[in-house]
Amino acid sequence: MANPSLDHLIAELRAVDPVRPMGRVRAVEGGLVRVSGLSDHAAMGDQVRLVSGEDTATGEVVALGGDLISVLADRAATGLSVGDRVVHLGPEKIAPDESWLGRVIDPTGAPLDGAPILSGMERRPLVSSPPPAASRRGFGARLSTGRCVCDTMLPLVRGQRVGLFAGSGVGKSTLLAKLAQGLEADVVVIALAGERGREVRHFIDKVLGSRGMARSVVVTATSDQSALMRRKALSTAMSVAEHFRDAGKHVLLLADSITRFAEAHREVALTAGEAASLRGYPPSLPHLIAELVERAGPGGAVQGDITAIFSILVAGSDMEEPVADMLRGVLDGHVILDREIAERGRFPAIDVLRSVSRSLPDAASGEENAMISLARRRMGAYAKNALMVQAGLYQPGSDPELDAAIEVWPRLDAFVGQSAHDGVAASFEALGMALLGAGSDQI
């Protein structure tokens, strides 16, 4: 563990506020705590500390009105009484530091791995503005990802924001971990919102492993924690990513999942009195998601970049459900995992034909784009006629395009599941080998 310097200690002391406004609990209504005495001090989103005897809890200001403010506690309000003290803490901030690499923290920046943690010298808000649109750079260079299909047919470039759409149990977390291990980046920030505690431990130890953790910061709020903490996990992770981006680093942000983030926000918003719409989601959700996603991407002139992969749970592969629909409109590409592909044993279970990278065609050369186009044509021709071919109803020679697709299909399908160990050029060589056969002169 890093030792605190004098500058770090001074920064910690400056963050201490010896005098804080205090209010009193006036009512507890369902999940909301009504507080008096803080109307002149509190703002939306500010943090407070609820003190009941020896017991304390934190909460967030979710509504303002008249002489009372409404606070949502980060745990059940059991034990609170009218007259209990409420201390105003102000906007929540964290202080990321280089020593956080390899650590697991909660959404407040507190360590979860049993060791003390060193706070950085600058405190950052959990919600901030993205770099000005007019001064942001465009996409950067193509990245080596460690997966052949993501090096070629679905390329990822520096500063791109991609959605990973999947149902439960089709290999989403495993693919995220493979990208955390293999994708080019200086720092990896991983947000796990709403996961079961056992799965978090398994992801860190078995899936991510020591190699992946060495350059990573993991921010997690498990499924048993309050909606406030689960919603806050992604905001904290983004703030940590922005810290390293502002230091000029290339950051890979992996967020699992935006769906659980949206569900947590729905709980908070409905408790605060916001009306439900959008199939039960509050009207504030689209802006909240767009605001979060826009904070990732290319940085300004002297900043690094945040390349982001957001996972989205799609029940029953429904790509039209509200959260999936919102994300597709604000991202730079989407990768869809298909349950049928997973059930036949090919991982990652990427449905290439339904997936899109908006970094193309600029991310590839003319020859590479021609190869990608041919591969998609072959896969599309086979997919369109798969039932007829598998039933033995197709007569070879009837359609030259389909004949070529049938010949290369097993190799293309295997190619999508291949790991890449030697960079993008080697991945395109592997794609070329998969396409060899009938019609290969078209490459």
Side-chain angles (χ1 to χ4, degrees), residues 177-210:
K178 294 294 185 184
L179 292 172
Q181 292 175 340
L183 202 148
E184 293 179 61
D186 300 316
V187 174
V188 181
V189 179
I190 302 170
L192 301 175
E195 292 281 359
R196 288 169 287 185
R198 179 192 61 79
E199 290 180 336
V200 172
R201 186 75 263 171
H202 178 264
F203 182 86
I204 293 169
D205 290 344
K206 304 297 183 181
V207 181
L208 192 58
S210 57

Side-chain angles (χ1 to χ4, degrees), residues 48-378:
V48 299
R49 182 182 298 117
L50 306 166
V51 183
S52 180
E54 299 297 320
D55 195 17
T56 63
T58 57
E60 181 176 311
V61 178
V62 295
L64 304 171
D67 295 330
L68 299 179
I69 66 170
S70 298
V71 170
L72 184 60
D74 64 3
R75 59 180 175 79
T78 305
L80 274 180
S81 303
V82 172
D84 282 344
R85 289 178 294 152
V86 181
V87 182
H88 180 250
L89 303 178
E92 186 164 15
K93 297 183 178 183
I94 59 170
D97 188 75
E98 295 285 333
S99 63
W100 286 21
L101 293 175
R103 304 299 303 275
V104 184
I105 63 173
D106 73 8
T108 68
L112 293 175
D113 49 13
I117 197 164
L118 180 64
S119 294
M121 298 176 61
E122 178 187 358
R123 299 185 67 80
R124 309 181 65 97
L126 297 192
V127 178
S128 61
S129 300
S135 64
R136 297 185 86 161
R137 296 187 300 274
F139 284 154
R142 185 170 56 187
L143 300 171
S144 176
T145 66
R147 309 300 307 179
C148 281
V149 68
C150 296
D151 283 354
T152 55
M153 302 176 74
L154 298 170
L156 193 63
V157 299
R158 182 164 168 154
Q160 191 173 356
R161 299 163 299 188
V162 174
L164 181 60
F165 296 78
S168 58
V170 296
K172 167 179 54 65
S173 296
T174 301
L175 179 56
L176 285 174
K178 294 294 185 184
L179 292 172
Q181 292 175 340
L183 202 148
E184 293 179 61
D186 300 316
V187 174
V188 181
V189 179
I190 302 170
L192 301 175
E195 292 281 359
R196 288 169 287 185
R198 179 192 61 79
E199 290 180 336
V200 172
R201 186 75 263 171
H202 178 264
F203 182 86
I204 293 169
D205 290 344
K206 304 297 183 181
V207 181
L208 192 58
S210 57
R211 184 178 126 197
M213 274 299 296
R215 59 173 185 164
S216 301
V217 180
V218 177
V219 183
T220 183
T222 51
S223 58
D224 61 309
Q225 292 184 275
S226 70
L228 279 177
M229 294 292 279
R230 285 181 276 125
R231 184 180 70 168
K232 199 181 297 180
L234 267 65
S235 299
T236 297
M238 188 65 76
S239 187
V240 173
E242 288 170 334
H243 164 80
F244 289 104
R245 177 204 65 194
D246 291 349
K249 297 183 182 296
H250 174 217
V251 183
L252 171 63
L253 173 68
L254 302 176
D256 188 14
S257 71
I258 288 285
T259 305
R260 295 194 182 105
F261 167 80
E263 290 169 347
H265 175 68
R266 176 171 59 188
E267 290 183 45
V268 173
L270 296 183
T271 302
E274 190 173 348
S277 62
L278 302 169
R279 298 195 207 172
Y281 287 100
S284 59
L285 181 61
H287 173 72
L288 188 70
I289 286 179
E291 183 181 56
L292 180 74
V293 170
E294 192 62 25
R295 291 168 64 184
V302 297
Q303 297 173 320
D305 303 302
I306 301 175
T307 302
I309 301 176
F310 301 95
S311 77
I312 302 96
L313 289 167
V314 284
S317 300
D318 180 12
M319 291 294 292
E320 303 306 318
E321 65 91 24
V323 177
D325 194 45
M326 292 174 203
L327 263 295
R328 281 204 313 274
V330 296
L331 293 174
D332 307 313
H334 52 271
V335 176
I336 297 176
L337 302 187
D338 185 85
R339 187 172 301 281
E340 290 186 5
I341 296 175
E343 287 173 347
R344 64 178 170 83
R346 195 258 280 157
F347 293 95
I350 297 174
D351 187 335
V352 175
L353 296 177
R354 296 171 63 204
S355 302
V356 173
S357 172
R358 293 179 183 167
S359 65
L360 287 175
D362 295 340
S365 67
E367 182 181 354
E368 290 169 344
N369 277 312
M371 193 181 300
I372 292 169
S373 177
L374 178 60
R376 281 186 170 272
R377 287 205 315 274
R378 295 286 183 262

Side-chain angles (χ1 to χ4, degrees), residues 31-52:
L32 286 180
V33 181
R34 310 289 186 184
V35 178
S36 65
L38 293 178
S39 297
D40 294 337
H41 304 280
M44 287 290 289
D46 279 1
Q47 302 296 299
V48 299
R49 182 182 298 117
L50 306 166
V51 183
S52 180

